[in-house]
Amino acid sequence: MNRRTFLLATTAAGAFSQIKAQPLPNPLPRWRGFNLLEKFVAREGGSGRRGAYRESDFEWMANWGFDFVRLPMSYRCWAPGDPAHWTELNETVLKEVDAAVRLGKQYNLHVNLNLHRIPGYCVNPPAEALNLWTDDRALEAAVFHWKHLAERYKGIPNAEVSFDLINEPANVSEAAYVRVVRALVEGIRSVDRERLIIADGLQYGTLPVFGLAGTGLGQSTRGYAPMVVSHYGANWVQGSTDWAVPTWPAKGSNGSAEALRRNMIEPWQKLQAQGVGIHVGEWGCYNRTPHEVALAWMEDQLKLWQAAGWGWSLWNLRGAFGILNSDRPDVAYKDFKGARLDEKMLELLRRY
């Protein structure tokens, strides 16, 4: 190879590498914010509500510079868990959801409505009476609830409200999941053809669903890997209280930023390359992981998502994963309007 050919070849290769290094376009905005849990589960013992959403949460998030709030909700907050009464709606509770949507508009926060428990399925116990993936009665009820929400918020711009259909589908085939999602989407779009809809990935939100590419839906992934870091000491995760105290980088082949990129970013970028918008609907680190380890792990996640052009939503604002009242034993909290604020975590989140 002569010098001129060599220079042309290396220049072209360099240009190609620069093109490849450019982030893929993401059809979803890079929304960043928090999950609020007031409707996460129904009152102990059955239907009911845990409380109204707090205006102060919306005000604080907006003042800190965030622009997104995800509301994981149980349908049992406004309807009975008995399949015979699934379509009986409690308007008082639904008006509290309306109020949250208005607060989002007031404070310029996008509100993402998610059915964490939908008729026929929830990732958390107790199990539903019928199975959403196999029972048409459950699917009909699920369509009913989403159609009602679509009617309720029809006309509100997508910049203000989106729907996240089913939280963390697990132990279901892609074909069965796609069938259910398509039915829910058809129901929503029979009422509001333009509503922005997001579907969680398979296997607890960790796997992209290529069978939904081309439907116009965004998809939501998760940021909990590896769980030996994010869920250390979480008593609802079997064996986690016996795990070794985590470090970051962690031991093993999955304990590095490079492993996160390879395992949790690249598979979703293949979906993104097909024009599907990606958002990290949930992520965070439980309060038993040492604080400095948690922050180091979180920063690697945030850097990766920033490079990919993805937004995120921390689980949660207030509570064991959040920046307020998280009860970490190794944090010097700042008093913030009656709450205990983890300033270091807040500062980290605001940088990304």
Side-chain angles (χ1 to χ4, degrees):
M1 181 183 292
N2 61 39
R3 177 177 174 79
R4 181 175 181 276
T5 303
F6 174 78
L7 288 173
L8 287 172
T10 53
T11 300
F16 180 68
S17 66
Q18 289 178 6
I19 293 172
K20 287 182 67 179
Q22 296 298 315
L24 293 167
N26 188 11
L28 288 178
R30 201 167 80 86
W31 288 312
R32 287 154 288 171
F34 300 85
N35 284 261
L36 296 183
L37 309 188
E38 274 70 17
K39 299 286 181 278
F40 169 51
V41 295
R43 185 173 56 214
E44 188 70 24
S47 299
R49 66 177 187 267
R50 299 187 69 190
Y53 293 97
R54 306 181 188 184
E55 181 173 353
S56 58
D57 288 347
F58 289 78
E59 179 184 6
W60 298 346
M61 287 187 288
N63 288 343
W64 287 325
F66 300 104
D67 59 4
F68 182 88
V69 56
R70 181 174 181 261
L71 306 182
M73 304 182 295
S74 167
Y75 80 92
R76 293 190 188 183
C77 288
W78 59 77
D82 180 353
H85 301 281
W86 266 345
T87 58
E88 298 173 9
L89 305 181
N90 183 330
E91 184 68 14
T92 299
V93 179
L94 286 165
K95 285 181 178 178
E96 293 177 345
V97 182
D98 296 344
V101 170
R102 290 194 298 270
L103 286 170
K105 178 179 177 62
Q106 179 180 344
Y107 289 99
N108 201 28
L109 297 167
H110 179 88
V111 177
N112 178 243
L113 301 176
N114 163 249
L115 284 188
H116 187 276
R117 179 176 291 274
I118 192 168
Y121 179 75
C122 186
V123 69
N124 295 341
E128 287 285 290
L130 300 177
N131 187 321
L132 177 62
W133 317 122
T134 59
D135 194 302
D136 286 344
R137 288 176 61 199
L139 181 55
E140 289 170 5
V143 171
F144 170 85
H145 280 266
W146 271 120
K147 282 186 70 174
H148 178 82
L149 293 171
E151 291 167 350
R152 204 168 186 96
Y153 303 116
K154 184 177 181 179
I156 297 178
N158 286 332
E160 297 175 19
V161 171
S162 62
F163 293 167
D164 179 1
L165 298 174
I166 304 169
N167 183 73
E168 296 184 0
N171 304 315
V172 58
S173 70
E174 179 168 326
Y177 179 52
V178 168
R179 181 184 76 88
V180 167
V181 166
R182 287 183 180 273
L184 299 178
V185 170
E186 182 179 353
I188 292 168
R189 289 185 172 157
S190 71
V191 174
D192 185 352
R193 294 191 59 82
E194 303 304 322
R195 176 59 58 208
L196 174 59
I197 304 172
I198 296 171
D200 278 13
L202 281 164
Q203 223 30 39
Y204 307 99
T206 62
L207 300 179
V209 188
F210 291 94
L212 290 174
T215 60
L217 274 62
Q219 291 193 32
S220 178
T221 184
R222 294 294 179 268
Y224 292 123
M227 287 188 69
V228 292
V229 175
S230 68
H231 282 69
Y232 168 69
N235 57 16
W236 66 92
V237 178
Q238 186 174 8
S240 66
T241 55
D242 298 323
W243 294 345
V245 177
T247 61
W248 190 258
K251 295 179 180 178
S253 59
N254 294 322
S256 67
E258 172 57 24
L260 291 175
R261 185 192 62 77
R262 183 176 63 249
N263 297 331
M264 306 306 296
I265 303 293
E266 287 187 351
W268 288 84
Q269 286 181 319
K270 294 176 183 178
L271 188 65
Q272 190 176 349
Q274 296 185 32
V276 178
I278 310 297
H279 189 268
V280 184
E282 286 184 26
W283 73 293
C285 196
Y286 189 56
N287 63 11
R288 292 298 177 264
T289 296
H291 194 231
E292 293 305 317
V293 173
L295 295 180
W297 171 81
M298 291 174 73
E299 183 155 24
D300 276 346
Q301 298 265 40
L302 290 163
K303 287 178 178 177
L304 288 166
W305 299 331
Q306 184 181 62
W310 302 352
W312 46 262
S313 182
L314 188 74
W315 187 281
N316 37 17
L317 175 66
R318 288 176 284 107
F321 288 78
I323 60 172
L324 296 173
N325 300 341
S326 59
D327 292 330
R328 294 181 180 275
D330 54 350
V331 171
Y333 289 99
K334 176 184 178 180
D335 179 73
F336 179 80
K337 300 183 179 181
R340 290 169 294 131
L341 172 65
D342 182 344
E343 283 189 294
K344 283 189 175 182
M345 188 177 289
L346 173 59
E347 290 169 2
L348 171 64
L349 296 173
R350 294 182 70 184
R351 288 202 298 272
Y352 294 93

